[in-house]
């Protein structure tokens, strides 16, 4: 049974979403790059705080992890662009791929909680540093490029929810997230593929680098990784015994609840941008 959304809760969700959208767009289009890097580092600090709480880290351990990751992001964002070498970016994105394409699915398959010690630190770095780096790199390439990389995730979420609600019959991962269905996954995949084909048709630079088959392949990976990110965060919350990752965003929960699908997908977009240079 799906939870009932009360009118007051729905109003709160809508107002929070509108405020977040306005702040996000203003930051993306108006903030100078150095200030934008500071803003991203602050958001990452709060996101890692939620991560440390999900792992039930001791307060000191959590603050250390938050600060280290935020400083790494800030150092990257404030460094000269010439220091963002292709080798460094490749290593960062490979770290993300190794986690999201192997480690995260393995944890979900065995359904074991991540330990708050070594694994907690390592997974925190491998999750949050690459997505922040990709976020900064995509925005540096252009605000519209960043939005173009985020749009398919929003479309996939909307399509997956709509199709799953209307036609969902076969559960995707009932132990981790009972509300998600295979029908919703296919709906999200279709939305991402259509978006990718439309984007390729209207962006000559993209069409010149990526063929139709590769476009479909990337779209499929994008949609699949968004599902992995969503399920992984759901698993983390189940192990922690909480409904939301935090309470920072009224009506929406925490930051992780809003960016879970972006965590594995933006590094893929960043790698694609690096490949097209």
């Amino acid at each position: 049974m799906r939870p009932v959304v009360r009118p007051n809760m729905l109003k709160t969700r809508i107002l929070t979403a509108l405020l977040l959208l306005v702040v996000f767009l203003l930051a993306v289009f108006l903030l100078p790059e150095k200030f934008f890097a500071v803003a991203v580092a602050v958001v990452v600090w709060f996101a890692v705080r939620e991560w440390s709480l999900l792992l039930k880290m001791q307060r000191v351990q959590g603050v250390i992890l938050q600060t280290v990751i935020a400083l790494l992001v800030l150092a990257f964002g404030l460094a000269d662009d010439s220091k963002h070498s292709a080798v460094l970016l490749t290593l960062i994105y490979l770290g993300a791929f190794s986690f999201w394409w192997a480690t995260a699915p393995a944890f979900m398959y065995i359904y074991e909680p991540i330990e708050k010690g070594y694994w907690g630190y390592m997974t925190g770095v491998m999750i949050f540093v690459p997505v922040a780096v990709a976020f900064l790199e995509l925005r540096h390439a252009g605000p519209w490029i960043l939005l173009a990389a985020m749009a398919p995730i929003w479309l996939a979420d909307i399509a997956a929810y709509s199709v799953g609600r209307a036609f969902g019959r076969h559960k995707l991962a009932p132990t981790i997230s009972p509300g998600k269905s295979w029908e919703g996954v296919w709906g999200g995949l279709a939305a991402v593929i259509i978006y990718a084909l439309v984007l390729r048709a209207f962006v000559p630079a993209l069409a010149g680098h990526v063929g139709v088959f590769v476009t479909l392949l990337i779209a499929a990976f994008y949609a699949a990784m968004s599902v992995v990110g969503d399920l992984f965060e759901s698993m983390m919350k189940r192990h922690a015994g909480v409904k939301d990752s935090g309470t920072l965003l009224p009506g929406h929960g925490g930051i992780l609840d809003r960016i879970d699908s972006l965590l594995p997908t933006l590094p893929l977009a960043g790698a694609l941008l690096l490949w097209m240079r």
Side-chain angles (χ1 to χ4, degrees):
M1 180 181 295
R2 294 183 180 276
V4 177
V5 180
R6 298 181 177 87
N8 289 339
M9 183 185 300
L10 180 60
K11 182 179 179 180
T12 301
R13 285 178 63 88
I14 293 173
L15 290 176
T16 301
L18 290 175
L19 179 60
L20 287 174
L21 180 62
V22 171
V23 172
F24 173 72
L25 292 177
L26 288 175
V28 168
F29 283 96
L30 298 181
L31 275 184
E33 288 199 0
K34 302 303 181 184
F35 289 100
F36 188 77
V38 173
V40 171
V42 170
V43 173
V44 167
W45 193 91
F46 281 103
V48 179
R49 179 178 180 274
E50 294 177 0
W51 170 259
S52 66
L53 292 176
L54 289 179
L55 288 179
K56 299 181 180 179
M57 287 184 175
Q58 295 180 0
R59 182 175 178 81
V60 174
Q61 292 178 324
V63 171
I64 291 174
L65 182 62
Q66 295 163 228
T67 305
V68 169
I69 292 179
L71 288 176
L72 288 173
V73 172
L74 189 60
F76 180 89
L78 298 181
D80 294 334
D81 296 335
S82 59
K83 295 181 180 180
H84 299 172
S85 68
V87 174
L88 174 62
L89 291 173
T90 300
L91 291 175
I92 291 173
Y93 294 145
L94 284 176
F97 299 157
S98 67
F99 178 80
W100 289 112
W101 296 3
T103 307
F107 271 113
M108 288 189 289
Y109 179 76
I110 62 177
Y111 199 64
E112 288 290 333
I114 295 176
E115 296 180 1
K116 59 185 177 182
Y118 171 81
W119 269 109
Y121 282 105
M122 287 300 299
T123 53
V125 172
M126 295 174 74
I127 288 172
F128 294 104
V129 171
V131 70
V133 166
F135 198 80
L136 292 172
E137 283 292 292
L138 290 164
R139 200 267 187 169
H140 175 70
W144 288 108
I145 292 179
L146 174 59
L147 292 179
M150 299 176 71
I153 302 306
W154 299 331
L155 290 173
D157 286 344
I158 294 172
Y161 176 79
S162 301
V163 174
R165 188 177 180 85
F167 305 105
R169 297 294 183 272
H170 303 87
K171 300 297 183 182
L172 173 64
T175 304
I176 297 176
S177 184
K180 293 180 176 58
S181 67
W182 278 105
E183 289 81 1
V185 170
W186 297 125
L189 174 61
V192 175
I193 287 176
I194 292 172
Y195 171 84
L197 292 175
V198 171
L199 188 67
R200 183 181 181 277
F202 286 93
V203 181
L206 186 61
H209 284 84
V210 184
V212 175
F213 176 75
V214 176
T215 299
L216 295 176
L217 190 62
I218 293 173
F221 269 117
Y222 221 76
M225 286 299 101
S226 72
V227 175
V228 171
D230 193 342
L231 288 177
F232 184 75
E233 199 236 356
S234 295
M235 182 192 72
M236 294 297 299
K237 290 188 293 186
R238 281 193 170 272
H239 285 319
V242 297
K243 178 179 180 293
D244 299 315
S245 65
T247 58
L248 189 62
L249 306 176
H252 290 264
I255 294 177
L256 288 180
D257 293 317
R258 299 277 58 83
I259 67 170
D260 50 6
S261 296
L262 294 173
L263 296 175
T265 52
L266 281 191
L268 181 58
L272 179 62
L273 175 67
L274 181 63
W275 171 61
M276 292 176 60
R277 286 178 178 173

